[in-house]
Amino acid sequence: MADPLNALKLDQLVEIIPEILVTLREDAMSIRGIRDIPLAAADKLFATICKLAEEVDLDLTGIPCWRNPAGKVIGMRTATRPVHAKWICEDIRSCVRDTRDEVFVTDSLRWAVRQSAGASKNVVSILVSELESAALTRDWDRFAEIRQGNRGAAVG
């Protein structure tokens, strides 16, 4: 069976990733007891975004993040905001648009989003909503193509 997340394109992933990060942080603050699961998922998602940014030679200077001794981004800091993730994702998208790397970046972001869904039911809700929206858009596009085809047949 095909993975339903394959329906999400790069543009959609760029739009929902900041929302997912916010949701994971909010979930961590609302949970009694083990808060590190959603926080770790948020850090992993953010670290994946930063790794992709470094792969396309983006400069992350000024973005608040935790780094290990080797300089690798390992997570978000308290000062890291969703807009930072959005900026990074938008810059990555503009660097890889219409290149061979676009498929790799899209698949990597899908993987990271899929991993974060396991940490929060609210992230799953975001993904279901986005997938439903993508399905409606595809259905509308098909309807428009059929309608245009019918017009062409009637005129021609």
Side-chain angles (χ1 to χ4, degrees):
M1 184 167 160
D3 182 0
L5 289 183
N6 287 341
L8 296 179
K9 304 297 181 215
L10 182 58
D11 291 334
Q12 293 163 309
L13 291 166
V14 166
E15 294 303 317
I16 64 170
I17 284 174
E19 184 180 354
I20 290 171
L21 289 172
V22 168
T23 300
L24 289 168
R25 279 184 162 181
E26 287 175 353
D27 284 355
M29 295 307 124
S30 67
I31 295 174
R32 294 190 100 137
I34 303 175
R35 297 178 179 206
D36 57 343
I37 293 172
L39 287 177
D43 284 342
K44 192 175 204 177
L45 177 58
F46 186 74
T48 301
I49 294 165
C50 291
K51 177 65 176 161
L52 290 170
E54 291 169 349
E55 289 292 323
V56 295
D57 294 326
L58 292 177
D59 183 11
L60 298 178
T61 304
I63 302 292
C65 55
W66 291 111
R67 294 181 181 269
N68 66 11
K72 179 181 171 187
V73 173
I74 56 173
M76 298 186 297
R77 298 182 72 157
T78 309
T80 309
R81 300 288 175 244
V83 72
H84 293 121
K86 184 174 178 87
W87 290 338
I88 295 168
C89 287
E90 287 173 347
D91 288 348
I92 292 170
R93 176 179 56 193
S94 66
C95 287
V96 301
R97 175 75 68 207
D98 299 325
T99 67
R100 293 180 304 162
D101 294 333
E102 185 173 2
V103 172
F104 171 74
V105 167
T106 303
D107 287 344
S108 298
L109 290 176
R110 276 191 203 118
W111 175 85
V113 165
R114 186 179 302 111
Q115 299 303 311
S116 66
S120 168
K121 292 177 185 175
N122 293 327
V123 171
V124 172
S125 296
I126 292 169
L127 293 174
V128 166
S129 174
E130 194 63 32
L131 288 168
E132 288 172 349
S133 175
L136 286 173
T137 300
R138 279 193 312 279
D139 289 344
W140 179 252
D141 289 346
R142 276 190 230 121
F143 173 74
E145 288 172 7
I146 291 169
R147 187 169 181 200
Q148 186 63 33
N150 289 342
R151 279 193 187 148
V155 173

